[in-house]
Amino acid sequence: MIPALLAIVRREVRLSLREGWQAATALLFFILVVMLLAFGIGPDPVLLRRVAPGALWTAALLSCLLSLDRIFAADHYDGMLDRLLASPVPAEGTALAKMLAHWLTTGLPLTVFSPAAGLLMNVPAAVMPVMVASLAIGTLLLTLVGGAMAALMAGSRRGGLTIALLTLPLYVPVLIFGAGALDKALAGKEAGHAVLFLAALLCAALPLAPLGAAAALRE
Amino acid sequence: MSLQATVSPRLPASAASGFLAVSGLACVRGERMVFTDLSFTLAAGHALIVRGPNGAGKSSLLRMLAGLLRPAAGTVGLNGTAMADDGIAWRRNLAWLGHLDALRTTETPRETLRFIARLHGRTDFQTALTALDLDSLADTPIRFLSAGQKRRVALAGLVASNVPLWLADEPTTALDADHAALFQAVLGRHLAAGGLAVLSTHETFPPSAECHELELAAA
């Protein structure tokens, strides 16, 4: 089963790299939003640093949100989802593989390039490790939670919008604790607890999200 | 409406080879009873051609056999093992091809078939390419293929899965006469090797001892 799961991840990554640079779109969107916010707020270094956590996390969240419906919708419309569900790979495995591939092409590049966005918002180098760690965990969490919602709406015509509406409330805790970690680190306080809380949420979402997604896909 | 069809009276009761047994199957779509009490057995080396007007439940029957649609009543078993008992073990024995090709335009036939083979835990996909006369198209992106060529790639997926039971909805759609005959030859080899197949079609298949017809009445 593991080679089959890896094959699904590889295919998803390959397709998203080929089809209209979708992977680059999520990253570009993140950088652009942060850049525009930085320009909009103006060249006040103290103010920029003050709003940096909220700005960075909102940009990451929207970037993830916009790409959620491609996790299952395309495969649903071209018949591949049926082929996957009729294969020996359990639906939970398929869902997890597709979510991981989504993170590899959206959350991961975004995390890797987040220090550049951080510089725009005047985040000092000392805080970068907390920012990168919280974004790495947080974006995977966003993908898992959003992926379960995307599975629920896989067959729906207005999937994209509905997924966003369903997912937003569930994203609020991630936003609060993610931005909270960065906020604490910027204030020179211990930020480990908030990052650990994100990690705890991830530990819950890692098994639950694929289970929920599989139940939705099988219907 | 009740319908009985015992397709293979020569079912070897204690055969070592596989057989598909369907008993008392009922299909409800929406509020409408599509068919009830559908029973048949199909011995290894035989194919069942499902016929009937639009809406008679051909695709629904195939989806039930693939585990993609839950029957309203009845059981499906292969080699004496019921599908309901172990879904994954059931799906290990079958390859599914719906009326959609399940292809992505940016992939090549080689990549697609390698993926389908891996999904079923196989490594050989070259045989499938050759069997459906796709060697010269193996590395052409699918967006450059005609509808019939795409259908051949989808059909090659059945071969690449290398499983006993083929389930295909309108397999020869869009194929020209030569390639429809080629698919029938491929199907013949699959049956001769002890395979089974359930296909729905509106086209005529040349009469043979291995192919049995099941006529579903209009609901």
Side-chain angles (χ1 to χ4, degrees), chain A residues 125-173:
Chain A
V127 179
M128 294 288 184
V130 171
M131 182 186 73
V132 171
S134 65
L135 276 175
I137 299 169
T139 48
L140 183 51
L141 196 50
L142 294 177
T143 292
L144 288 166
V145 172
M149 295 300 134
L152 204 60
M153 302 306 299
S156 156
R157 240 165 228 298
R158 272 181 270 282
L161 181 65
T162 322
I163 292 168
L165 288 173
L166 279 174
T167 312
L168 264 180
L170 299 171
Y171 274 5
V172 171

Side-chain angles (χ1 to χ4, degrees), chain A residues 90-118:
Chain A
E92 290 81 2
T94 301
L96 180 63
K98 285 169 91 49
M99 290 175 188
L100 285 180
H102 176 263
W103 181 73
L104 287 174
T105 55
T106 57
L108 183 63
L110 188 155
T111 304
V112 169
F113 284 93
S114 62

Side-chain angles (χ1 to χ4, degrees), chain A residues 86, chain B residues 61-68 83 90-91 94 96 167:
Chain B
L61 171 61
L62 286 168
R63 292 183 72 81
M64 282 180 187
L65 295 179
L68 293 170
M83 166 164 61
W90 173 263
R91 294 199 299 271
L94 71 88
W96 164 259
L167 301 172

Side-chain angles (χ1 to χ4, degrees), chain B residues 16 22 35 53 59 66 89 96 104 106 127 143 195 203 210:
Chain B
V22 168
F35 56 74
S59 299
W96 164 259
R104 283 293 179 87
T106 52
T127 315
R143 66 174 171 278
E203 324 233 330
E210 296 82 38

Side-chain angles (χ1 to χ4, degrees), chain B:
Chain B
M1 185 203 82
S2 174
L3 193 144
Q4 283 281 348
T6 302
V7 172
S8 176
R10 288 154 296 160
L11 175 70
S14 60
S17 52
F19 67 91
L20 176 70
V22 168
S23 131
L25 209 61
C27 172
V28 179
R29 300 298 279 158
E31 300 281 290
R32 198 167 60 94
M33 184 67 89
V34 181
F35 56 74
T36 52
D37 202 18
L38 177 70
S39 305
F40 63 82
T41 55
L42 190 67
H46 293 260
L48 182 65
I49 315 289
V50 185
R51 295 186 178 282
N54 298 137
K58 301 186 293 294
S59 299
S60 298
L61 171 61
L62 286 168
R63 292 183 72 81
M64 282 180 187
L65 295 179
L68 293 170
L69 184 66
R70 208 166 294 145
T75 56
V76 177
L78 187 68
N79 307 335
T81 310
M83 166 164 61
D85 291 346
D86 189 347
I88 291 172
W90 173 263
R91 294 199 299 271
R92 210 165 271 142
N93 288 312
L94 71 88
W96 164 259
L97 175 60
H99 65 100
L100 295 170
D101 291 330
L103 302 175
R104 283 293 179 87
T105 51
T106 52
E107 281 196 306
T108 65
R110 188 187 302 280
E111 289 167 335
T112 306
L113 292 172
R114 184 189 290 130
F115 171 68
I116 293 171
R118 288 228 178 98
L119 210 51
H120 289 84
R122 319 283 181 212
T123 50
D124 174 39
F125 59 92
Q126 193 58 51
T127 315
L129 278 172
T130 310
L132 271 299
D133 188 22
L134 289 164
D135 285 309
S136 59
L137 298 170
D139 296 306
T140 310
I142 285 169
R143 66 174 171 278
F144 297 123
L145 301 189
S146 73
Q149 288 168 333
K150 284 181 191 157
R151 196 61 181 165
R152 266 150 62 201
V153 179
L155 287 169
L158 294 174
V159 181
S161 318
N162 193 10
V163 291
L165 174 60
W166 288 3
L167 301 172
D169 201 352
E170 307 270 357
T172 51
T173 307
L175 292 192
D176 59 47
D178 285 352
H179 285 107
L182 177 70
F183 171 67
Q184 281 161 13
V186 170
L187 176 66
R189 283 204 297 279
H190 172 68
L191 298 178
L196 301 109
V198 181
L199 317 168
S200 83
T201 186
H202 292 291
E203 324 233 330
T204 49
F205 265 62
S208 72
E210 296 82 38
C211 292
H212 310 273
E213 297 216 348
L214 170 66
E215 183 79 32
L216 290 177

